[in-house]
Amino acid sequence: MSLREQFGKDVLLTGWGHSRFGKLTDETLESLIVQVATEAIANAGIEPGQIDEIYLGQFNSGMMPLAFPSSLALQVSEQLANVPSTRVENACASGSAAFQQGTKSLLAGTAKTVLVIGAEKMTHAGADVVGAALLGADYDTAGKASTTGFTGLFAEVAKHYEKRYGPVSDVLGTIAAKNHRNGVDNPYAQLRKDLGEEFCRTVSDKNPMVADPLRRTDCSPVSDGAAAVVLSVSPTGGATAPVRLAGFGQANDFFPGERRDPTAFAATRASWQRALGMAGVGLDDLDFAEVHDCFTIAELLMYEAMGLTEPGQGTRAIEEGWVFKDGRLPINVSGGLKAKGHPVGATGVSQHVIAAMQLTGTAGDMQLANPRRAAVQNMGGVGIANYVSVLEAV
């Protein structure tokens, strides 16, 4: 049973906007929000006054002095005066959290048209500030000194995985190389250089070990950027055909590390099962997926959490070519967080926009051959807050 059958109405992505990701010194949080919101509204073919609600996904956590940005989108137009606008935060999954809140407003009938924005400014802050902010998303290390930050947390995940299932260093290098190669074709991506497998697999002066076994190429960069999408219950006559939300899922895991199996990502798996179940589809029905590869080990574990392979066999998806652009289920054709960049609050919305572009044949050099159905997966913390959407062409 699809979302449409379950709730008796459609949730459609009818317009979207996307900024470039990277070190955007000439942009502010406000200018990024206004840019993508304006683009999304125009792309949807509507007037700003037709927006019933606004949801803004942003993490911040001390990276910016302005901690109350929910009304910044009203700067787009006087027509947005008095429109309800809410900031949504759930660590690195803030963008998808905002997307699901907008979805639920449509399903509840409190709105017919919702503007969802994800945005983050990070590069202006020092490495110590960014590192401390991100560690605020971890129960065991929040507020404590760390030389490796969140990389160290995922390095521990990688160590547990290798102890249980065997070495993965070369496979992680191949994942990095795949996503860097895909990022070359993405005009929004922060890192648009094909580095090759040998470079990504090798520790060097230009690719140092950050936290063993994760090298610099195994880590997503600090980024600025924004993305926006208009959600509607019916087509709005926009610039492209709409995209339908067929199903969605959310699941949270226990916060203390001692209560989680470090390689199982149990709540991530549950969010996949809920989204696919609501959509009434399986993995074989998907044409591609955009997943949360904040670190390459996270993408490897995603192959297992989504059910592409059994636990401990995620390396098969790389070794047998399943997840490459010409494989059975292309993963992160955009370059993923690894190459596209990871402005935390923007990531989940960006993933939905990139997927919508693919499904409407407007992805440019990234375009796959006639995809009809996709999944988006966004995660906060080390598998703590998990969101999955299933999108399909109309």
Side-chain angles (χ1 to χ4, degrees):
M1 178 180 290
S2 68
L3 178 153
R4 186 181 187 183
E5 294 167 332
Q6 183 172 338
F7 293 98
K9 64 175 68 176
D10 264 329
V11 172
L12 301 174
L13 288 70
T14 53
W16 44 82
H18 202 298
S19 79
R20 186 169 60 87
F21 281 6
K23 187 173 183 178
L24 308 180
T25 54
D26 294 333
E27 300 285 356
T28 64
L29 182 67
E30 179 178 335
S31 69
L32 287 167
I33 288 172
V34 170
Q35 174 194 332
V36 298
T38 300
E39 186 179 344
I41 292 168
N43 184 250
I46 62 174
E47 294 296 323
Q50 293 174 257
I51 300 293
D52 298 314
E53 294 182 19
I54 301 170
Y55 288 96
L56 170 66
Q58 188 217 20
F59 179 49
N60 191 354
S61 192
M63 290 185 286
M64 284 196 66
L66 181 64
F68 183 46
S70 57
S71 281
L72 288 180
L74 274 59
Q75 300 294 84
V76 169
S77 170
E78 291 289 334
Q79 295 180 42
L80 291 175
N82 301 320
V83 171
S85 186
T86 305
R87 175 192 170 211
V88 180
E89 186 278 313
N90 220 358
C92 296
S94 295
S96 285
F99 181 91
Q100 284 202 12
Q101 288 304 117
T103 295
K104 290 173 182 177
S105 287
L106 297 185
L107 296 178
T110 58
K112 293 183 178 179
T113 305
V114 173
L115 174 63
V116 178
I117 306 165
E120 207 77 63
K121 275 287 289 182
M122 303 173 70
T123 64
H124 64 284
D128 56 337
V129 174
V130 173
L134 295 178
L135 283 177
D138 184 70
Y139 180 90
D140 301 296
T141 59
K144 298 179 181 178
S146 172
T147 58
T148 57
F150 233 78
T151 308
L153 301 181
F154 275 88
E156 288 301 310
V157 171
K159 288 177 183 177
H160 281 289
Y161 191 94
E162 290 192 318
K163 183 177 181 180
R164 187 174 295 180
Y165 299 118
V168 294
S169 181
D170 282 354
V171 166
L172 297 185
T174 302
I175 292 173
K178 168 183 73 74
N179 291 348
H180 274 285
R181 173 64 192 88
N182 288 346
V184 171
D185 296 328
N186 184 351
Y188 305 115
Q190 180 170 354
L191 305 175
R192 300 185 67 188
K193 186 174 182 179
D194 185 356
L195 298 178
E197 284 193 37
E198 183 177 356
F199 180 85
C200 293
R201 287 180 167 189
T202 306
V203 176
S204 64
D205 289 342
K206 293 185 177 180
N207 189 26
M209 190 71 75
V210 179
D212 189 26
L214 301 182
R215 298 145 298 213
R216 180 179 290 166
T217 50
D218 293 306
C219 311
S220 58
V222 173
S223 316
D224 306 326
V229 62
V230 173
L231 301 179
S232 309
V233 294
S234 59
T236 57
T240 65
V243 170
R244 178 178 290 116
L245 178 64
F248 63 90
Q250 178 191 356
N252 274 53
D253 211 334
F254 294 106
F255 210 7
E258 64 182 16
R259 299 199 65 182
R260 305 190 309 273
D261 181 327
T263 68
F265 278 48
T268 312
R269 182 180 297 270
S271 65
W272 274 99
Q273 292 171 344
R274 289 170 183 174
L276 293 171
M278 182 184 290
V281 301
L283 285 184
D284 289 342
D285 298 305
L286 302 179
D287 295 306
F288 69 94
E290 289 287 323
V291 308
H292 193 97
D293 62 321
C294 49
F295 301 93
T296 51
I297 184 63
E299 179 166 330
L300 179 66
L301 283 165
M302 212 49 56
Y303 303 157
E304 301 176 11
M306 68 197 297
L308 188 58
T309 76
E310 293 297 318
Q313 297 181 23
T315 55
R316 286 188 63 199
I318 280 288
E319 292 166 348
E320 299 182 23
W322 301 351
V323 294
F324 289 84
K325 197 168 183 178
D326 58 353
R328 60 185 273 194
L329 184 62
I331 300 287
N332 288 335
V333 175
S334 69
L337 286 59
K338 173 78 265 298
K340 183 180 60 177
H342 184 27
V344 178
T347 287
V349 182
S350 167
Q351 291 173 312
H352 285 85
V353 169
I354 294 293
M357 292 170 65
Q358 285 283 0
L359 293 170
T360 54
T362 59
D365 290 340
M366 293 183 284
Q367 188 64 52
L368 295 167
N370 195 35
R372 304 299 298 168
R373 188 177 288 114
V376 165
Q377 181 267 330
N378 189 200
M379 177 174 69
V382 186
I384 303 298
N386 302 272
Y387 296 82
V388 176
S389 298
V390 177
L391 305 177
E392 59 187 23
V394 176

